[in-house]
């Protein structure tokens, strides 16, 4: 995966998080939070790879 692909994946995951959070209510808040926490880790991983890839390309 190149940096652009990682960035696109991060954007897609972030959009999924937003959808989950916007539809969460008291009955599923805990499950929504757990799901979003895991997805946020994936967003972070993709963004790290974007930054790491950009840093490496400068060397």
């Amino acid at each position: 995966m190149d940096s652009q692909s990682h960035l696109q994946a991060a954007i897609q995951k972030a959009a999924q998080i937003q959808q989950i959070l916007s539809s969460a209510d008291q009955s599923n808040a805990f499950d929504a939070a757990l799901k979003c926490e895991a997805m946020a880790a994936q967003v972070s991983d993709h963004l790290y790879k974007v930054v790491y890839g950009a840093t490496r390309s400068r060397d």
Side-chain angles (χ1 to χ4, degrees), residues 5-33:
S5 298
H6 281 294
L7 183 58
Q8 197 63 11
I11 291 168
Q12 289 172 349
K13 283 288 179 192
Q16 290 174 344
I17 290 170
Q18 192 275 330
Q19 289 174 340
I20 291 168
L21 291 176
S22 67
S23 64
D25 59 25
Q26 270 190 326
S27 68
N28 67 350
F30 184 77
D31 290 336

Side-chain angles (χ1 to χ4, degrees), residues 3-59:
S3 289
Q4 184 63 35
S5 298
H6 281 294
L7 183 58
Q8 197 63 11
I11 291 168
Q12 289 172 349
K13 283 288 179 192
Q16 290 174 344
I17 290 170
Q18 192 275 330
Q19 289 174 340
I20 291 168
L21 291 176
S22 67
S23 64
D25 59 25
Q26 270 190 326
S27 68
N28 67 350
F30 184 77
D31 290 336
L34 286 177
K35 191 179 295 185
C36 289
E37 183 179 23
M39 293 173 81
Q42 293 172 349
V43 170
S44 179
D45 185 55
H46 283 300
L47 292 176
Y48 171 81
K49 290 174 181 171
V50 170
V51 171
Y52 181 73
T55 304
R56 286 194 51 148
S57 68
R58 285 193 227 163
D59 293 343

